[in-house]
Amino acid sequence: MAHRIEVAFKEGVRDALGEGVRKRIVEHLGFEVNSVKTIDVYTIDAELDGEQLQELGENLFADSVTQVFSCGKPLAKDFDYLIEVGFRPGVTDNAGNTSRKAAEDILKKTVEGVYTSKQYLLRGKLDKQAAEEIARGFLANELIERWEVKSSAEFDFEKGMELVLPIVRLKYEVRVEPIDLNVSDGELMRISKERVLALSLPEMKAARDYFKNKRVNAERKKLGLGEEPTDVELEALAQTWSEHCKHKIFNALINYDAGNGKTLVIDSLFDTYVRKSTEEIGKSRKFMVSVFSDNAGVIKFNEDYNLVMKVETHNSPSALDPYGGAITGIVGVNRDPLGTGMGAKLIFNTDVFCFAPPDYTDKLPPRLLHPKRIFEGVRKGVEHGGNKSGIPTVNGCLVFDPRFLGKPLVYCGTGGLMPSVINGRESHLKKADAGDLIVMTGGRIGKDGVHGATFSSEELHEGSPATAVQIGDPITQKKMADFILEARDLGLYKSITDNGAGGLSCSVGEMAKESGGCELHLEKAPLKYAGLHPWEILLSEAQERMTLAVAPEKINEFMELAKGRDVEATVLGEFTDSGWFHILYEGKTVAYVDMDFLHNGSPQMKLNAKWEQKIHEEPDFEEPRELTDELKKMLGRLNICSKEYVVRQYDHEVQGGSVVKPLVGVKNDGPSDSAVVQPLLDSLEGVVVANGIAPRYSDIDAYHMCACAIDEAIRNNIAVGGSLEHMAMLDNFCWCDPVKSEKTPDGEYKLAQLVRANQALYDYTTAFSVPCISGKDSMKNDYIIQGVKISIPPTILISTVSKIDDVRKTATMDVKKPGDLIYVLGTTRNELGGSEYFAAKGFMGNNVPKVDAEKAVKLYEAVSKAIKLGLIKSCHDCADGGLGITLAESAFSGGRGVEVDLSKVPREGIERSDYLLFSESPSRFVVTIRKEDKKAFEEILKGNAYAEIGYAREDNAFVVTGLNQEIVVNADVQDLKQAWQKTLGW
Amino acid sequence: MVAPKALILTGYGINCDYETQHAFNAAGARAERVHLNDIIAGVKNVADYQILAFPGGFSFGDDIASGKVLANKFKYNLSEDLQKFISDGKLVIGICNGFQAMVKLGILPGFDRNYRSQQVTLTFNDSGRFEDRWVYLKINSNSACIFTKGIKSLYLPVRHGEGKFISKNEAVKKRLRESHHIVAQYVNELGEPAEYPMNPNGSEDGIAAICDETGRIFGLMPHPEAFIHKTNHPRWTREQLNEEGMGMQVFRNAVDYAEKKLV
C-alpha cells in the first residue's frame, strides 16, 4: 500500500531553494516567473495507518518550526503550473533510502520503500509548453528522472498528484546465453557493437580462437559448458580488456613518423616513457613506496606514514547526467586510496573541470546539455560527494574551451594517509591466498553502471546507454570507509580493492591474480531488485562497493563488525589457486576462463602516428597605447577570472588541517597557487597539493602542452613552499580518439600528439626529478551524432604532491605590506602562442611557451630555500594571462596598489609592453620581500634571471610603466578586482 | 587530577570527529571517538563520560533535513540516557551538524529544563547554498555558557547549507534574548550587527550559538575545532597571531569546568 506525505514551508518562511530555482529559470531560460515554491513529497510503500503516517510527518519529515505536512491531501495552492519531479525506477534515491531506514527506526516495523519527489509551484506568465520546457530543460534530466506538469485548472486539489512507486519490476527470465563466435568478421563486429563490448576485430578473433582451443574445451566440458562462450564469459573479457581497464592505446605498438624524416617504433608508450622515467628517477629519489601497481600511487610521508594519491576522470557519465556523473566521479576516486595497500584514510580532494563557456548561445547538438547546466551539475555533484564524505576539497581549477561542449572533463583527485606498518606488516602490500573468502561490502547491485567501462571506451553516440549513468551515495560509502579503517586496524582482512569500472568482474579478477584463481557465486550477491542476468551482476558498476579477501578464521569477527557499523557485507565465494576465473550461478558454472588468458590474452594494438607541425596565422595587430582596459578584459576572461563562486561551496577545511586555503589575502578571496594540508594534527609536517593544465597549447604542439602542464604543477607547488626533493606527480591524459578510422581520419596526427606528449613527460619528469607515481588515461573524448563531431583538445592534467617538514614555512600569493619590494623571477620571452591574450584578439599564433628545465630547477630550488628561510612574503606564479595577471592578483588580494616598471623585467625577444605583460612564458614568479631582506634574498637567487621591478604602495593605485617609459596601466586595484570577480560572480 | 572523559560521537557521516577529539585532548581531556551504534547496543555507556560532543558533518547525508535523522536516533533509542546525562550536570556541545541535531532533538534551548521540546530550528541559508567562510562572532558576556567563559569574540569558519536560525514564534525569540540563551552572534569585524556575508545564512538576530539556562548545554554553527592552531587562520601569513588558535579556549573551558565539578 502506498501513502503520500507532503511537506511545505509555512507562510512567511523563506523558500531558499524555490527562490534559487526562480532566479535561474529567469536567467537561463528567460521565462517570466514571479515565484517558485517547493514541496517535498515522500511516497511510502508500507502498511501504515493514519496514526503512523501522522507520526512520520510530525517526527521525521516536517520541521515543526518552519514546515507543515499533510498525509494524503495535497498542499499545493496558489500556482499557475505545478511540476513534480521524481526518480525513474532503479535510480539511486539517497534521501529515500535514508527515509526508509529512519521510518523503520521510528515505527519499529518493515517499510518496503520510501521514494522522494519534489513539486515546484510556479507563478508567472507561462503556458503549458513553457512549463514543459522548464521541466525538461532545467528541473529534470530525462535519463534519470520522470516529471509531470499540471496547470492549476488540471490539478486535482482533493487528491493531488497520482501516486507513483518507482519500483523496478523485471519481467523477463534470468538466463545465460551462449554466443556463437564462429561467424564472419562482420558478424563478430556486430556482436561487439550490439552488446557494447567495445572489442576490436583482432580481440574478437582472439576470444574466438581461445574458445576453440582443445584444452580449454575439455576443461569447460567437465563443468557442463558448451563449445560456445557464455555471455558471462564474453562480457567479462570485454571488461577486462576494455580501453578503460587495459589502456590498450598506451600499450600499443606504435610506428611514429616524426615528420622530419625520422621514424621510431614505440613498444608501449607507458613502458617507454612513463614507467621508464619513474624507474630512472627512483635511483635518486628514495621516497617512492608503491607505484603503478595498485589503485593509487604511494610515497613516503614520514617514518610512520605513507601518502597515497590518485586522480581520475569521469567524463562520459558527466556529459549525460552532470550531477550523477560528477558525484560518482569523486566518490569513485575516493575508493582508490581506500583500496590501495591495506587502505588509506582520505585526507583531501582536488578537482579540475573543463567546460565549454557557460555563456554558449548557439543551438545545441542532439543529446548535449547546455554548458552552464553541465557546470552547475558537476559543481553540485562534487560538492555533495566531497562535503558529505568529510574530505576537504583543498584546491582545483576550471578550464574553458568551446570544444569541451562535446565532452566535459571532470578530473577528481584524492589523497590518503596510512600508517606504513599495520599490525607488524607493511601496509602497502596485500595478498589474497587460496582459501580466503571473497567478501563484498557496501552498496547493493543493480543495473546501474552496466557497461560503464566499455561505454567510456567509446565516443558519445546515439545509443550511449542510460544505464551507464548512476548516482553516488556518499553516506553509504562513508559508513563503509569508516568500517574498513576499523577492520584494517583490527587485522580482519588480507587484501582489498574497489569495485569501479567492470564491477566484480574486474575487482575479483584483479585480486584473483594474487592467489591464482577464484570461485565466485553470483546468486549470493545482494541485489537492489530481482531479475538481473548473471552477466549483469558480474559487470554492474553499482557504486560504494569494495571487495575484500578475508581469512576464514576472521570472517565471524569481520561480519560482526560490519553489522555493528550498519554496513552490508556478503561472502560471495573464495579465492583459489586453480588458475581459473570460475563464476557460478545457482550452482552451475556460467564462466570458466583461464586467468592468464583473461589478463594477458588481448592482442597488442598496432598503430601508426604521423607528426606534422601545424602553422597558424601570426597575429597582426597594433600595440595598444594604453593597457588598463586590456588588463581588465583579460582579468574577466573565463580562464583567468575568480572561481570563488565554486570554491566557497566546497568545504576546504574539514579535518582541521587546512593551512594554505584556496582563498587567501586580506579579504579571504585571492586565488592560491596550491593547498597546504596538515594531515596529522599533532605534527607540523604538511602536504602541498597543486595542479597544472594547459590544453590550448595542444593546438600548436602537444609536446609543449605537456611540458607546460608539468612546469605549472611543479611551479604552483614551489610557490607556496613545496620542494623538488620530496615531490611526486600524477599524470592524467584526456585525449580525443587517436586511432585512425573512418570516423577519425586524422587519427595518426592525434596519436602523434600523444606520442609527443609522452616524450615531453619523460623529458621533463626526469629533468625535474619529479616522478609520476600514478596516472590514468581517457582516450575517447569525442562526440559524434548525426554527422557532427566535436573532439576535445588533447589535455593533460598534472597533479603534484610534495611533503614539507613545517607548515609554518610556507607563503601565500597576496602582497603584504606597503614598501615591500616586488621581484619578477624567470625570463619573459615572446611566447604568446596559444595565450589568453592572443585568444582574446582572435589568434592562436605559433610561439608556444617552452620550458627550460635546467634553469627552472635552479630557480625552484632557490625559491624553496627563500620561503623556508622566511625571506619571501608573497609568491605567485605566472600562468594564464602572464605577468600582468599575476601582478594584479597579488596586488588586489593584498588590498594594496603597486608601482612597477616593465623595462626592468628580465626578457628575451620582446619589445612590446602588451606582450611583456601577457606572454605566458613558463617558470616565472612574482614575489615580494621586505626591504631589509633584499641582500639575503638576492644572495640566494644568484645565478638566476630575476629583477626588482617595483614596490607595494600605501594606497590602491596600480601603476605600470611600459617599455617606452610611459605609464601603460593606471588603475585602482579594487576596479581590477571587480573586473576579475564579476564574470563568474553568480 | 583525573582528566575528564569526553565522548566524541561518530558514525553515519559525522565528519569532524577526529579534529574535535584532537581539540579536547589538547585541552586536557581523554577524548574517545565512539560509534553511535556502540552506544545504542550498550557496548559504550554515555554515563561513563563527563562531556558529550556532537561533532560537525553530514550525519545521514543531511537527507530530509540536517541533523533530523541523527536527532531521531537519540530520541527513539537513547532518550533516557541523554536526559540523565543532562540532569547529572554534565556538559554537551554540538557543533554545526551537531547543533542542528540538538535543536531538532529539543535539548536546546531547554526552556525550564525541558530538554524534549523543539523551540527553534536551523534551516536553509538565505543564499540557498552551502558556504565555507570565516565569520566574526560577538560573545554575549551575560550568557551562562560554560564553554565561552572569558571569551569576548571569536573568528571561526562556518561550513554549512542549513544554518539559518529561526525561533518558533516571537515569545521564544524574546525569551532567548532576555534570558541570555544567545551565546554568539554574527557581526562584522568591528563587532557590529551585519548583513550577508558577515551573517552568512540570514539567522534571526544574527544568532550563531545558544545554550540552555545552565550554560552546560551548548550548540553553535561555526567550527571552533577548525581553529586550534594559528595556521588554520585564513590570513595567518599576513597577521600577527598567537600560536594557539581562538577555538581552543572553548574546549579548555569545558575541560576546566569538568575537572573542577565533574570528576
Side-chain angles (χ1 to χ4, degrees):
Chain A
M1 177 66 186
H3 308 272
R4 202 174 154 97
I5 297 182
E6 297 189 358
V7 180
F9 287 107
K10 286 182 182 168
E11 292 289 333
V13 174
R14 183 186 166 93
D15 183 343
L17 173 69
E19 181 46 35
V21 167
R22 188 198 67 80
K23 223 178 112 196
R24 277 177 289 156
I25 292 174
V26 174
E27 282 170 12
H28 296 201
L29 302 175
F31 290 117
E32 228 177 277
V33 178
N34 304 327
S35 82
V36 177
K37 299 246 175 249
T38 60
I39 291 174
D40 283 319
V41 181
Y42 300 91
T43 305
I44 303 156
D45 185 10
E47 292 299 328
L48 302 176
D49 59 29
E51 210 174 302
Q52 287 168 319
L53 285 171
Q54 200 67 24
E55 175 154 21
L56 289 183
E58 215 168 279
N59 292 315
L60 182 61
F61 295 123
D63 183 318
S64 63
V65 175
T66 52
Q67 295 173 316
V68 290
F69 71 93
S70 154
C71 307
K73 207 170 163 357
L75 289 173
K77 56 179 182 183
D78 304 329
F79 61 88
D80 295 317
Y81 283 90
L82 182 153
I83 301 169
E84 181 166 324
V85 180
F87 290 108
R88 288 184 184 278
V91 176
T92 307
D93 181 350
N94 289 327
N97 294 339
T98 302
S99 302
R100 182 178 65 80
K101 287 199 171 176
E104 286 182 337
D105 218 29
I106 291 175
L107 303 173
K108 310 284 181 215
K109 67 171 282 187
T110 304
V111 173
E112 300 301 327
V114 178
Y115 305 90
T116 62
S117 52
K118 209 169 213 57
Q119 289 180 353
Y120 300 87
L121 278 51
L122 277 57
R123 296 202 68 167
K125 265 198 182 160
L126 294 166
D127 55 19
K128 185 102 179 199
Q129 204 190 334
E132 276 286 348
E133 197 181 324
I134 290 168
R136 181 189 302 272
F138 180 65
L139 295 175
N141 180 348
E142 62 185 325
L143 277 182
I144 54 164
E145 287 161 322
R146 61 184 165 81
W147 67 88
E148 209 174 337
V149 178
K150 294 238 165 155
S151 68
S152 55
E154 295 162 333
F155 187 73
D156 184 335
F157 285 87
E158 274 310 303
K159 292 198 185 120
M161 302 293 272
E162 206 186 320
L163 267 174
V164 180
L165 281 177
I167 298 173
V168 181
R169 291 192 178 88
L170 300 172
K171 299 221 166 64
Y172 51 76
E173 216 175 302
V174 170
R175 61 172 193 271
V176 177
E177 233 183 306
I179 294 166
D180 187 359
L181 295 184
N182 287 311
V183 292
S184 68
D185 289 359
E187 193 62 11
L188 282 178
M189 285 318 288
R190 190 192 58 78
I191 295 171
S192 173
K193 183 109 198 154
E194 265 177 20
R195 297 198 70 105
V196 202
L197 299 177
L199 291 176
S200 66
L201 186 61
E203 288 161 346
M204 287 299 284
K205 284 180 171 171
R208 180 189 64 197
D209 294 347
Y210 167 81
F211 287 102
K212 274 189 188 164
N213 178 299
K214 276 196 185 130
R215 180 189 72 95
V216 170
N217 242 304
E219 291 293 335
R220 288 163 50 78
K221 211 167 180 180
K222 285 187 212 160
L223 296 162
L225 289 169
E227 289 186 4
E228 291 162 350
T230 65
D231 52 2
V232 184
E233 289 171 317
L234 204 52
E235 294 279 359
L237 281 178
Q239 297 305 310
T240 314
W241 292 1
S242 68
E243 177 57 48
H244 190 102
C245 296
K246 204 93 201 162
H247 313 288
K248 291 185 284 203
I249 294 169
F250 259 79
N251 288 310
L253 186 72
I254 297 174
N255 267 305
Y256 173 61
D257 174 347
N260 53 3
K262 289 188 185 154
T263 57
L264 192 62
V265 178
I266 302 159
D267 186 359
S268 169
L269 288 169
F270 179 70
D271 288 343
T272 310
Y273 300 111
V274 186
R275 189 198 294 279
K276 190 167 162 220
S277 63
T278 297
E279 279 170 4
E280 284 176 16
I281 298 164
K283 289 174 196 155
S284 56
R285 299 284 197 233
K286 296 295 177 194
F287 53 76
M288 284 183 275
V289 176
S290 161
V291 292
F292 303 128
S293 57
D294 208 330
N295 290 311
V298 185
I299 62 170
K300 213 171 147 146
F301 179 69
N302 63 17
E303 284 311 308
D304 302 323
Y305 286 89
N306 288 334
L307 187 64
V308 185
M309 190 167 172
K310 177 63 173 276
V311 182
E312 63 181 19
T313 54
H314 221 229
N315 309 332
S316 303
S318 301
L320 297 175
D321 173 27
Y323 176 80
I327 192 171
T328 309
I330 187 68
V331 178
V333 76
N334 288 165
R335 286 195 304 275
D336 281 323
L338 183 64
T340 294
M342 292 299 280
K345 177 175 187 276
L346 309 173
I347 58 168
F348 64 82
N349 287 336
T350 175
D351 310 304
V352 174
F353 310 142
C354 303
F355 300 134
D359 52 3
Y360 182 89
T361 49
D362 290 352
K363 194 174 175 307
L364 283 171
R367 279 203 87 166
L368 290 182
L369 299 176
H370 191 276
K372 193 162 183 180
R373 196 164 172 200
I374 300 251
F375 182 145
E376 267 304 285
V378 168
R379 184 204 58 67
K380 194 169 164 194
V382 173
E383 174 198 326
H384 285 178
N387 290 359
K388 292 187 180 189
S389 304
I391 303 164
T393 300
V394 296
N395 69 350
C397 68
L398 295 176
V399 179
F400 296 93
D401 184 290
R403 288 167 285 179
F404 293 120
L405 183 67
K407 258 194 203 177
L409 303 184
V410 178
Y411 290 101
C412 297
T414 300
L417 197 72
M418 60 183 178
S420 38
V421 175
I422 299 170
N423 297 318
R425 294 183 49 201
E426 287 184 297
S427 66
H428 65 280
L429 302 173
K430 56 186 166 190
K431 186 172 185 298
D433 290 311
D436 288 345
L437 301 168
I438 302 170
V439 183
M440 185 184 97
T441 63
R444 297 186 145 223
I445 294 176
K447 273 176 176 286
D448 29 356
V450 167
H451 281 154
T454 47
F455 155 65
S456 67
S457 304
E458 294 185 324
E459 79 281 359
L460 186 56
H461 58 78
E462 281 99 338
S464 295
T467 49
V469 175
Q470 43 199 322
I471 297 178
D473 172 6
I475 286 311
T476 296
Q477 181 149 314
K478 170 76 175 154
K479 282 193 298 182
M480 177 176 69
D482 288 352
F483 157 70
I484 281 170
L485 295 183
E486 245 184 291
R488 177 195 76 180
D489 294 342
L490 291 168
L492 299 183
Y493 59 83
K494 290 165 67 180
S495 186
I496 180 168
T497 200
D498 82 305
N499 280 277
L504 283 172
S505 157
C506 288
S507 70
V508 176
E510 275 299 311
M511 287 172 78
K513 280 201 238 172
E514 297 167 16
S515 67
C518 64
E519 194 179 294
L520 180 71
H521 298 264
L522 290 175
E523 77 282 358
K524 293 186 177 165
L527 304 181
K528 291 182 180 178
Y529 35 81
L532 266 67
H533 296 307
W535 72 267
E536 290 176 315
I537 300 174
L538 188 63
L539 260 63
S540 165
E541 295 180 9
Q543 291 292 298
E544 296 87 36
R545 294 180 295 139
M546 303 292 284
T547 300
L548 301 98
V550 179
E553 65 271 20
K554 300 273 187 184
I555 192 67
N556 289 341
E557 202 183 336
F558 182 93
M559 299 303 271
E560 199 56 39
L561 183 66
K563 197 172 153 219
R565 297 301 173 248
D566 203 3
V567 172
E568 188 158 7
T570 317
V571 176
L572 300 182
E574 66 178 67
F575 292 100
T576 67
D577 53 9
S578 67
W580 291 88
F581 179 74
H582 188 184
I583 311 295
L584 300 99
Y585 185 76
E586 293 180 343
K588 275 166 73 179
T589 295
V590 294
Y592 196 63
V593 185
D594 188 304
M595 284 289 293
D596 185 52
F597 180 71
L598 179 69
H599 289 291
N600 307 314
S602 68
Q604 188 183 30
M605 279 176 103
K606 293 184 178 60
L607 300 170
N608 293 320
K610 188 171 181 343
W611 173 247
E612 56 179 307
Q613 182 63 57
K614 299 246 157 107
I615 307 294
H616 301 272
E617 186 192 349
E618 269 307 322
D620 176 22
F621 61 92
E622 288 276 299
E623 175 180 357
R625 218 166 49 80
E626 216 272 343
L627 297 171
T628 306
D629 279 348
E630 298 288 335
L631 179 60
K632 283 187 187 164
K633 271 187 245 162
M634 288 288 286
L635 284 165
R637 286 182 65 78
L638 279 167
N639 282 322
I640 293 171
C641 71
S642 170
K643 312 298 187 296
E644 182 178 352
Y645 164 75
V646 176
V647 177
R648 281 260 173 259
Q649 297 184 69
Y650 292 158
D651 186 335
H652 45 261
E653 303 183 76
V654 62
Q655 299 192 12
S658 162
V659 175
V660 172
K661 300 180 201 301
L663 297 168
V664 295
V666 67
K667 294 280 181 199
N668 303 344
D669 56 7
S672 258
D673 288 326
S674 305
V676 178
V677 180
Q678 182 192 351
L680 302 165
L681 297 177
D682 50 10
S683 157
L684 285 166
E685 292 161 294
V687 183
V688 183
V689 187
N691 293 296
I693 189 166
R696 274 171 297 124
Y697 301 156
S698 291
D699 289 323
I700 302 173
D701 189 343
Y703 180 90
H704 297 293
M705 177 276 288
C706 178
C708 286
I710 291 173
D711 184 66
E712 185 185 18
I714 294 176
R715 188 171 76 226
N716 276 326
N717 202 303
I718 297 290
V720 299
S723 81
L724 290 172
E725 277 156 45
H726 199 138
M727 189 187 295
M729 67 168 76
L730 294 92
D731 59 289
N732 252 272
F733 288 74
C734 281
W735 235 250
C736 34
D737 187 2
V739 178
K740 189 179 175 180
S741 69
E742 230 168 87
K743 338 179 256 207
T744 312
D746 55 351
E748 292 186 351
Y749 172 72
K750 287 171 173 168
L751 188 63
Q753 289 182 301
L754 185 66
V755 170
R756 290 183 63 77
N758 273 277
Q759 289 174 331
L761 185 96
Y762 175 85
D763 294 346
Y764 285 93
T765 49
T766 49
F768 282 114
S769 285
V770 176
C772 290
I773 54 165
S774 168
K776 193 98 191 186
D777 60 278
S778 164
M779 304 307 285
K780 305 284 164 114
N781 292 290
D782 307 87
Y783 161 95
I784 309 175
I785 290 180
Q786 294 172 9
V788 179
K789 179 167 182 181
I790 308 172
S791 298
I792 65 148
T795 304
I796 297 177
L797 173 70
I798 300 288
S799 309
T800 53
V801 273
S802 70
K803 191 261 167 145
I804 52 173
D805 290 330
D806 187 341
V807 295
R808 294 169 302 183
K809 291 175 180 163
T810 48
T812 54
M813 51 70 67
D814 46 313
V815 168
K816 302 298 184 306
K817 293 210 165 115
D820 283 356
L821 305 178
I822 301 172
Y823 282 75
V824 170
L825 316 184
T827 305
T828 305
R829 294 178 297 256
N830 187 349
E831 295 181 315
L832 287 106
S835 67
E836 279 293 317
Y837 187 57
F838 275 9
K841 302 284 180 192
F843 291 97
M844 175 60 67
N846 298 291
N847 293 339
V848 68
K850 297 187 173 92
V851 182
D852 183 333
E854 205 182 314
K855 286 189 181 143
V857 167
K858 199 163 181 220
L859 181 63
Y860 295 172
E861 284 171 348
V863 172
S864 293
K865 191 172 171 194
I867 291 176
K868 214 175 266 174
L869 292 170
L871 295 172
I872 289 181
K873 290 293 130 192
S874 78
C875 184
H876 193 18
D877 93 305
C878 298
D880 304 53
L883 182 58
I885 301 304
T886 306
L887 278 167
E889 287 177 346
S890 304
F892 61 61
S893 302
R896 300 245 161 264
V898 299
E899 180 104 31
V900 297
D901 181 350
L902 290 184
S903 69
K904 294 183 176 161
V905 174
R907 67 184 201 275
E908 276 171 27
I910 292 195
E911 299 308 327
R912 285 172 61 153
S913 295
D914 58 340
Y915 281 17
L916 189 56
L917 217 43
F918 302 126
S919 169
E920 297 181 2
S921 290
S923 320
R924 293 178 301 154
F925 303 95
V926 169
V927 309
T928 60
I929 64 163
R930 291 182 305 185
K931 262 189 199 147
E932 56 267 39
D933 293 330
K934 183 177 163 80
K935 206 173 144 223
F937 176 66
E938 293 191 354
E939 183 63 31
I940 288 172
L941 277 178
K942 220 192 270 169
N944 288 288
Y946 72 91
E948 181 192 332
I949 62 158
Y951 60 92
R953 293 172 59 115
E954 191 85 45
D955 62 9
N956 276 350
F958 185 90
V959 184
V960 179
T961 302
L963 290 174
N964 55 4
Q965 288 305 300
E966 280 175 24
I967 289 176
V968 290
V969 181
N970 192 351
D972 187 299
V973 285
Q974 297 309 331
D975 291 343
L976 295 180
K977 187 172 182 176
Q978 207 200 351
W980 178 74
Q981 286 183 326
K982 72 167 188 249
T983 311
L984 291 178
W986 296 343
Chain B
M1 202 180 296
V2 188
K5 284 175 77 178
L7 187 158
I8 316 296
L9 193 66
T10 184
Y12 290 103
I14 290 172
N15 292 334
C16 303
D17 45 340
Y18 282 95
E19 59 266 42
T20 305
Q21 177 188 35
H22 172 76
F24 271 112
N25 281 336
R30 285 174 295 156
E32 192 184 336
R33 291 168 51 250
V34 177
H35 199 283
L36 173 63
N37 286 357
D38 281 348
I39 309 177
I40 294 174
V43 178
K44 299 277 176 180
N45 190 345
V46 289
D48 296 334
Y49 302 80
Q50 290 78 45
I51 301 168
L52 171 61
F54 289 83
F58 278 83
S59 61
F60 299 91
D62 268 6
D63 294 334
I64 303 172
S66 58
K68 183 77 177 181
V69 179
L70 179 61
N72 275 350
K73 277 275 179 191
F74 273 85
K75 187 168 169 178
Y76 289 94
N77 298 289
L78 295 166
S79 186
E80 294 318 310
D81 294 10
L82 188 60
Q83 295 298 333
K84 178 149 192 319
F85 192 86
I86 294 169
S87 61
D88 283 347
K90 294 178 175 178
L91 300 178
V92 184
I93 181 172
I95 302 167
C96 193
N97 190 243
F99 183 28
Q100 291 162 339
M102 283 168 76
V103 302
K104 288 166 191 185
L105 190 50
I107 59 175
L108 275 174
F111 288 151
D112 305 318
R113 308 218 176 177
N114 172 357
Y115 295 101
R116 297 170 195 264
S117 162
Q118 185 180 349
Q119 301 293 323
V120 302
T121 198
L122 291 155
T123 186
F124 295 98
N125 296 350
D126 275 353
S127 67
R129 292 176 188 167
F130 174 99
E131 286 193 339
D132 179 335
R133 64 167 76 244
W134 283 63
V135 293
Y136 294 94
L137 299 168
K138 185 178 146 188
I139 305 299
N140 176 8
S141 55
N142 293 317
S143 141
C145 184
I146 308 288
F147 295 82
T148 53
K149 216 174 131 203
I151 301 175
K152 290 195 175 70
S153 65
L154 285 169
Y155 186 53
L156 298 174
V158 289
R159 311 192 306 249
H160 61 247
E162 299 179 40
K164 179 181 181 175
F165 187 97
I166 299 181
S167 301
K168 193 162 83 176
N169 53 41
E170 282 302 315
V172 170
K173 199 171 163 180
K174 190 158 168 254
R175 184 160 175 188
L176 287 171
R177 206 180 302 151
E178 288 175 356
S179 309
H180 299 295
H181 286 278
I182 301 172
V183 178
Q185 287 162 295
Y186 302 110
V187 289
N188 65 17
E189 55 231 275
L190 304 172
E192 300 154 345
E195 299 291 305
Y196 180 83
M198 272 78 86
N199 176 344
N201 45 38
S203 285
E204 68 180 32
D205 288 341
I207 293 175
I210 60 169
C211 66
D212 75 332
E213 63 186 49
T214 71
R216 293 182 289 101
I217 316 299
F218 173 52
L220 75 170
M221 285 313 295
H223 289 267
E225 83 289 0
F227 188 19
I228 294 302
H229 188 249
K230 80 167 180 187
T231 55
N232 295 141
H233 190 291
R235 297 186 301 277
W236 71 271
T237 59
R238 54 185 302 126
E239 292 180 10
Q240 284 299 322
L241 301 165
N242 294 329
E243 196 75 11
E244 179 179 298
M246 279 177 124
M248 196 57 216
Q249 192 58 38
V250 172
F251 300 97
R252 192 173 294 121
N253 280 337
V255 175
D256 286 352
Y257 177 90
E259 244 168 24
K260 286 188 196 108
K261 306 263 174 94
L262 302 173
V263 288

